[in-house]
Amino acid sequence: MAGSSHGHTPAAWTGVIISFIGFCAAGVFMVAANPIGFWASIAVIFLGGIVGLGMKLAGLGMPKESPEMAAARARAAQAQIS
């Protein structure tokens, strides 16, 4: 995956960071026996996904690969195997 830059975009980083903060907060509130804080943190986790998707739609995610580029990538992979 390192060669494909999978997930190395502002949209991916922002979504994951927001979700990670929500996950950590949910763990704290679970141990503290605070159900309102727990469910609010679960909402933050989902908010991270929504923010990441919104940023991707705004053009801050990975661009779609053209069919020509996909075919060239497949030919290059086949050439490495043989």
Side-chain angles (χ1 to χ4, degrees):
M1 278 295 153
S4 67
S5 296
H6 178 75
H8 297 280
T9 64
W13 279 101
T14 304
V16 168
I17 288 170
I18 292 171
S19 296
F20 181 70
I21 290 169
F23 177 78
C24 292
V28 169
F29 285 121
M30 183 185 302
V31 172
N34 184 338
I36 294 172
F38 171 78
W39 288 110
S41 299
I42 296 298
V44 171
I45 293 171
F46 287 111
L47 179 68
I50 292 168
V51 167
L53 180 62
M55 289 179 70
K56 178 181 177 185
L57 293 174
L60 295 171
M62 291 290 289
K64 294 275 186 190
E65 188 172 62
S66 68
E68 294 84 15
M69 183 62 79
R73 186 181 309 277
R75 284 192 307 273
Q78 190 65 20
Q80 284 183 338
I81 293 173
S82 7

